Amino acid sequence: MSRRTPKFSTPLPRTPPGPVRIYDTLREKVVPLEPLVPPRVGMFVCGLTPYKPSHIGHARTFVFFDTVARFLAQEGYHVFYVQNVTDIDDKILRVAAEERVDFSVVAERNFAQYLRDMDRLGVRSVNLYARCTDYLPEILEQIQELVDREMAYAAGGDVYFDVSRFPRFGALSKQRKEDLQPGARVEVDPRKRSPEDFALWKSAKEGEPRWESPWGPGRPGWHIEDTAITVNVLGPRYDIHGGGTELKFPHHEAEIAQAESATGESPLASIWMHAGVLTMQGEKMSKSLGNVLDLSSALSQVAPDVLRFFLLSGLYRSPLEFAGTASFEEAERAYRTLERPYRRGEELWREAREDGGPTLPEEVKAGSRRTVDRMVEALRADFNIREATAALYGWSREVGARWASVEPRRRADLDVELAPYRFARDVLGYFSVGTYAPPAAPGDLLKALVEDLLKVRQRARERGDFGEADRIREELADLGIRVEDSPRGPSWRLERGGT
RNA sequence: GCCGAGGUGGCAGAAUGGUUAAUGCGACGGACUGCAGAUCCGUUUCUUGGGGGUUCGAUUCCCUCCCUCGGCUCCA
């Protein structure tokens, strides 16, 4: 596949080539994406530590980077997207100890749940989920390399990275060593030579899981797995590193220090992307603060497609405020006003004639193309999803009037009119993610009964007995069956949570 | 204290050194409908946190003050 080849099942208007521009935290400006080995793009995003079920704050980051990967693929890049899974760490051990089970039970249970939730949200672009515990040889090798180069030192079974040997430490987060407040939030380990040093290897305490190492039995520190994984999977340098903004310091600084010291190559990642946090009542949603909404609870309150839409609203770099149910309700209304015309268009497409070419006026075809162009341009400008969505709203107004009529249509025309929606579907994941439970799977018996009732109602309407007609409609509504009249006759569907 | 990101209409939330500051939600009016819904059309509200500066012109650039959020070794 060459660059710029659309991946769509239906032809999409060609958008003129142009670079994707992304804000790079390290350089503090928007820079063009220039892959090291075009058209390949290597992308790594810091994954989660599955010690608890994940929440909608995590989902924001991962839904966003899923969209990044989808868009880059749409732009013709061959994306390889890696996410790590920190399946061994202090908190997992703590939970495992409480439950009296092996740490892997806790990690695998929560990770499996995470995968199910991500699947429901339409996150499907990750090519490799790399578990820390699957990379012990690579981790040990990288630590050894750092020790050999005297960038790290062993101390009582632990191994620490010597930050004083890496002057660029702090470049990403713009922190100067002297400005840091050691111990501001976390106790300083007395075995470190300097407070800013960080652990590469932690010696095993009594009863803890352990792996053998030249420094004694223990387990990897928090930061080392990511670079051991990326150096081996993506190489010493790669194109995009993503993660939540709160990981900038110290985690991403540590990654840079480790990888660049171990490989001697720089920069580790060409572009550092940071997704803003999800806040709740003005505070970061955080597992440790406890102000979290678990993904599974969220998905019991709101349809997955609406949740995805909500998480993608707003600029990815800014904080996104979650105001509880009100946020979901507003997102739902906003999303459905896009979804309704899309569904209508696809329905018309299914009913349309297959033969013949497009008959739409040129300005309609141009309008469709302009809309897609505007969406592509918005996404190329540092993933402005909001602007891309605004373009789709504009297009919805245009097709809304045409699609209200009952004239017969051609598929070729509808392909043109649907192109902007299909772009949103494929790239942003709108309209393609699960909606409320039974989408419309009424049994045959129910179907027959409802259709019969609607015939009775139609006869009542025809003889002007609107009282009876409305009564039938209301009674059906009470049963969760929604009836709507249109020039094409009545239609009905099961409401959310309906029969 | 230090670093970073922000403060835009009733709400959410974009954008730009220069015509009337997107878009959505809400509200109001109209068309369509027996009614409702959906759809379409129109209206509604901000002069862009306070102050100062640069400029022919700033919401957009600079300075300063106030406030919010994130980070300063648990965190997506």
Side-chain angles (χ1 to χ4, degrees), chain A residues 319-342:
Chain A
L320 181 66
E321 168 72 7
F322 172 65
T325 321
S327 293
F328 287 157
E329 285 167 0
E330 178 167 346
E332 165 121 33
R333 284 190 296 265
Y335 173 69
R336 299 294 175 208
T337 63
L338 282 179
E339 191 202 22
R340 270 189 302 263
Y342 167 72

Side-chain angles (χ1 to χ4, degrees), chain A residues 53-258:
Chain A
S54 43
H55 56 71
I56 60 176
H58 301 124
R60 183 198 186 189
T61 297
F62 299 124
V63 164
F64 169 68
F65 283 107
D66 176 62
T67 303
V68 169
R70 286 172 180 239
F71 178 63
L72 294 180
Q74 156 62 24
E75 286 281 272
Y77 293 108
H78 299 198
V79 180
F80 195 82
Y81 174 6
V82 184
Q83 215 179 86
N84 70 302
V85 184
T86 309
D87 60 349
I88 174 77
D89 97 325
D90 291 346
K91 281 169 297 194
I92 292 176
L93 292 177
R94 201 187 63 223
V95 174
E98 282 165 12
E99 297 184 8
R100 298 173 192 282
V101 294
D102 190 68
F103 78 93
S104 62
V105 172
V106 174
E108 289 306 315
R109 179 184 67 217
N110 289 310
F111 180 55
Q113 180 64 45
Y114 167 74
L115 287 183
R116 280 195 296 275
D117 291 338
M118 287 301 113
D119 186 59
R120 292 183 71 189
L121 288 170
V123 172
R124 54 181 62 114
S125 55
V126 180
N127 297 286
L128 174 66
Y129 287 101
R131 288 173 175 77
C132 175
T133 55
D134 287 337
Y135 284 82
L136 260 300
E138 289 82 358
I139 288 169
L140 289 169
E141 186 186 17
Q142 194 167 79
I143 296 174
Q144 186 62 253
E145 184 68 41
L146 290 168
V147 170
D148 290 348
R149 291 181 182 235
E150 297 181 351
M151 299 300 291
Y153 57 91
D158 295 346
V159 181
Y160 293 98
F161 187 91
D162 186 346
V163 170
S164 68
R165 301 265 291 139
F166 192 78
R168 288 199 301 284
F169 194 82
L172 183 71
S173 56
K174 321 300 169 198
Q175 306 267 8
R176 290 179 312 174
K177 223 184 292 180
E178 49 272 32
D179 290 335
L180 298 179
Q181 290 190 345
R185 290 168 69 187
V186 177
E187 298 278 324
V188 175
D189 192 310
R191 282 171 294 192
K192 294 178 181 180
R193 285 183 193 162
S194 177
E196 66 267 20
D197 292 350
F198 54 87
L200 301 173
W201 189 255
K202 303 173 115 166
S203 55
K205 300 196 190 80
E206 188 57 38
E208 284 183 353
R210 60 195 61 205
W211 286 264
E212 287 310 317
S213 88
W215 311 279
R219 58 193 164 87
W222 174 34
H223 316 293
I224 192 71
E225 60 178 90
D226 286 10
T227 51
I229 289 165
T230 58
V231 166
N232 282 281
V233 174
L234 297 175
R237 295 176 56 198
Y238 54 94
D239 301 297
I240 297 175
H241 182 121
T245 187
E246 80 280 11
L247 295 177
K248 244 184 266 178
F249 190 97
H251 185 236
H252 294 160
E253 298 283 7
E255 280 190 56
I256 292 172
Q258 289 164 351

Side-chain angles (χ1 to χ4, degrees), chain A residues 1-8 12 18 20 22 33 35 39-43 64-81 124-127 240 376 379-380 383 423 425-428:
Chain A
M1 188 177 79
S2 66
R3 282 200 62 183
R4 315 292 170 213
T5 303
K7 292 175 65 190
F8 295 94
L12 191 73
V20 176
I22 305 175
L33 173 65
R40 293 191 202 170
V41 171
M43 179 163 98
F64 169 68
F65 283 107
D66 176 62
T67 303
V68 169
R70 286 172 180 239
F71 178 63
L72 294 180
Q74 156 62 24
E75 286 281 272
Y77 293 108
H78 299 198
V79 180
F80 195 82
Y81 174 6
R124 54 181 62 114
S125 55
V126 180
N127 297 286
I240 297 175
V376 168
L379 294 174
R380 282 178 183 163
F383 306 100
F423 179 84
R425 178 192 64 194
D426 294 347
V427 173
L428 304 178

